[in-house]
Amino acid sequence: MGAAGRLLSLAGLLAACGAGGEALPPVLTLVPAAMEPVGPARPAGPYELCLDPGGAARASVYVHERSVAFRIRARSEDPEREAQLWVRIGAETASPEPIRVHEFRTAAHRVRSAPGQHTLELRVPPTSAAGACVAEVALTQP
């Protein structure tokens, strides 16, 4: 391949990656098993973290914008029961109702938040019928 062919290949690669176009929003993907457990919680494999009712996990995140979108992939620890999961970023709860999970499910929400350092918290309420196992948490800012 000549110099012109290499240049076109490089230009195609950069275009495919979004270089030269609109800036992509910042994305932060957290490995739940690496989050700080609070209360009854334990890793389940290299990435997943299982939280018993009353358990929580926390991570420090930096927010650049006034709103944050997040996606959580979670399942109930007990296949016979539904688990509930609350998500907070700083003082803001992500939804008025807990996220309800049974089999693996991805839930997406947006929450308003002031720019700056915040604590992201995943919590299974003590009243949940089962614990929740979280496999992925991803945050994006528009």
Side-chain angles (χ1 to χ4, degrees):
M1 178 183 293
R6 283 192 295 267
L7 184 59
L8 285 174
S9 293
L10 178 59
L13 177 65
L14 290 174
C17 293
E22 290 183 30
L24 296 174
V27 175
L28 173 64
T29 302
L30 300 171
V31 176
M35 294 176 74
E36 176 190 352
V38 179
R42 68 205 157 287
Y47 307 110
E48 212 173 336
L49 182 67
C50 292
L51 306 170
D52 289 339
R58 294 183 182 144
S60 183
V61 297
Y62 190 86
V63 174
H64 297 276
E65 303 287 335
R66 295 206 174 276
S67 72
V68 177
F70 69 88
R71 184 183 72 235
I72 294 184
R73 184 167 150 74
R75 66 176 172 84
S76 174
E77 191 170 25
D78 181 345
E80 302 296 319
R81 296 185 180 149
E82 180 180 77
Q84 297 177 1
L85 185 65
W86 286 101
V87 179
R88 294 177 63 89
I89 296 176
E92 299 297 322
T93 301
S95 66
E97 295 286 323
I99 298 168
R100 298 179 187 284
V101 293
H102 195 263
E103 296 179 358
F104 263 121
R105 173 177 175 234
T106 300
H109 294 277
R110 179 171 298 281
V111 64
R112 292 211 170 276
S113 182
Q117 192 80 22
H118 294 281
T119 299
L120 168 71
E121 182 181 79
L122 310 176
R123 178 172 297 281
V124 176
T127 57
S128 179
C133 295
V134 182
E136 179 186 37
V137 179
L139 303 172
T140 60
Q141 298 175 58

